[in-house]
Amino acid sequence: MALTMNDVDRFEAARPRLEAIAYRLLGSASEAEDAVQETFLRWQAAVVDRIEVPEAWLTKVLTNLCLNQLTSARARRETYVGQWLPEPVLAGDPMLGPADTAEQRESVSYAVLALLERLSPNERAVYVLREAFAYPHREIAEILDITEAAAQQILHRAKKHVADGKARTEVDEAAARRIVDEFLTAATSGRTEPLVRLLTQDAIAVGDGGGKVPARARAFEGALAVAKFMRGLFKPSKAKRDLVGGSPDVYATTANGDPALVVVLDGRVIGIMCLEVAPDGIAAFRNQVNPDKLERATRRWAATDHGDPLLRVF
């Protein structure tokens, strides 16, 4: 049965919410887009007139597609080259979804998306639907075909796993810019000590090159090791220029609500470094340089005003 324009409009009205759910579930903007498109195909094939609550039907179809994707993704990530990190999403991207409450903002932070990788698919789904979108346990149970009591128990476990990770400090855009400025000043000073002072003692630095761009397979751990790595990373050299094809510009912004550096060369985003801020300093640097995970960011970057770069590196 062909969709009417009203049916198409109803789906398009739901698309931003569906994309935001899928992104939190999958940690990948490109995979989220694919899941939403597959949901549309299921909608197109359904007898829409018989669907009593279209929004609930769409959410259930999407969630189950994502659960299937998560199961297969776990197998793929066992053979992934190097560290796997989520795909960062830049400030203002509608895929970030609602950000009215602390729970909503936290659920899409880069640090929490990385922590969600520890959860089972069902734990991740319950956490996202409840914390980010305030679905009642009754509706979550219907979406996942479990009991309401089971949904509550799963949420309790999921929240504990997430809480066991590093505590995150929320920062506004002005504070994020100050943090980035301080970090860049220290990183380009040529000295280790100013960087160490900005970091927590157990700070980490990790990168995702996906086997396509050089990135260390294991994280740097500890303030001194991270500071030495960052000092070297921002030290200019011909080898680095040859590797990336020029001297990229570095901008300050936010990604997933966290302070971030965006590295741009000839209009193309070639790296996004997300900074996790704890009460006693910068706790983590998560650097996404896999080009497959920067395509949406590049499109977003080209469509927005981002001001002047902070510096040109390499």
Side-chain angles (χ1 to χ4, degrees):
M1 185 175 179
L3 293 180
T4 66
M5 284 304 299
N6 185 56
D7 296 331
V8 173
D9 289 344
R10 175 168 278 182
F11 183 88
E12 290 304 321
R15 184 185 289 274
R17 177 178 58 85
L18 296 174
E19 286 191 344
I21 292 172
Y23 173 63
R24 284 168 166 85
L25 287 176
L26 299 173
S28 166
S30 59
E31 290 179 4
E33 290 173 337
D34 291 343
V36 172
Q37 186 58 29
E38 180 60 30
T39 302
F40 175 75
L41 295 178
R42 303 286 179 93
W43 174 250
Q44 194 173 38
V47 182
V48 174
D49 290 345
R50 295 182 183 177
I51 299 174
E52 294 183 6
V53 186
E55 288 73 15
W57 186 93
L58 291 169
T59 302
K60 180 166 185 172
V61 169
L62 174 79
T63 300
N64 282 285
L65 286 170
C66 290
L67 289 177
N68 292 337
Q69 180 77 1
L70 281 172
T71 301
S72 62
R74 283 174 178 263
R76 291 198 309 274
R77 286 170 195 170
E78 289 178 1
T79 59
Y80 192 83
V81 179
Q83 296 277 348
W84 187 95
L85 289 175
E87 180 176 346
V89 173
L90 296 177
D93 192 316
M95 193 170 277
L96 291 173
D100 298 326
T101 68
E103 291 80 10
Q104 289 171 338
R105 293 188 293 274
E106 181 181 73
S107 71
V108 79
S109 76
Y110 206 57
V112 167
L113 283 181
L115 288 171
L116 291 183
E117 289 296 305
R118 302 178 183 179
L119 306 185
S120 71
N122 263 16
E123 286 174 338
R124 189 162 183 161
V126 172
Y127 182 88
V128 167
L129 292 172
R130 180 64 180 171
E131 294 296 290
F133 297 91
Y135 275 81
H137 284 293
R138 175 183 54 79
E139 291 185 27
I140 294 173
E142 291 173 357
I143 289 170
L144 299 177
D145 291 323
I146 58 178
T147 66
E148 190 170 340
Q152 293 171 332
Q153 291 171 355
I154 290 171
L155 178 66
H156 178 75
R157 289 200 305 270
K159 290 177 74 171
K160 185 178 185 304
H161 286 313
V162 173
D164 286 342
K166 286 185 179 297
R168 174 175 175 263
T169 300
E170 283 198 61
V171 294
D172 59 26
E173 288 192 21
R177 177 60 183 263
R178 288 196 299 274
I179 291 165
V180 168
D181 285 343
E182 289 178 9
F183 165 68
L184 281 178
T185 298
T188 55
S189 69
R191 298 166 55 230
T192 303
E193 295 79 7
L195 274 167
V196 171
R197 288 195 293 270
L198 291 177
L199 309 179
T200 62
Q201 285 302 304
D202 58 350
I204 64 167
V206 59
D208 178 351
K212 300 184 177 184
V213 174
R216 181 180 164 93
R218 297 182 60 184
F220 290 92
E221 299 181 357
L224 183 58
V226 171
K228 288 180 177 179
F229 167 66
M230 289 296 167
R231 183 190 64 189
L233 183 65
F234 284 89
K235 185 177 180 180
S237 75
K238 182 178 183 301
K240 292 175 186 173
R241 290 192 295 273
D242 291 343
L243 178 66
V244 302
S247 297
D249 292 321
V250 178
Y251 295 82
T253 185
T254 60
N256 298 76
D258 296 319
L261 295 173
V262 178
V263 185
V264 181
L265 181 65
D266 298 330
R268 178 171 54 91
V269 176
I270 63 171
I272 298 177
M273 180 184 289
C274 295
L275 283 62
E276 179 185 347
V277 181
D280 52 341
I282 301 173
F285 299 90
R286 295 181 176 90
N287 192 22
Q288 184 57 259
V289 292
N290 183 344
D292 294 342
K293 298 182 182 181
L294 297 171
E295 292 179 0
R296 185 181 179 96
T298 294
R299 295 197 305 270
R300 180 77 190 173
W301 193 258
T304 56
D305 178 21
H306 33 73
D308 297 325
L310 296 180
L311 76 159
R312 178 164 288 179
V313 292
F314 305 162

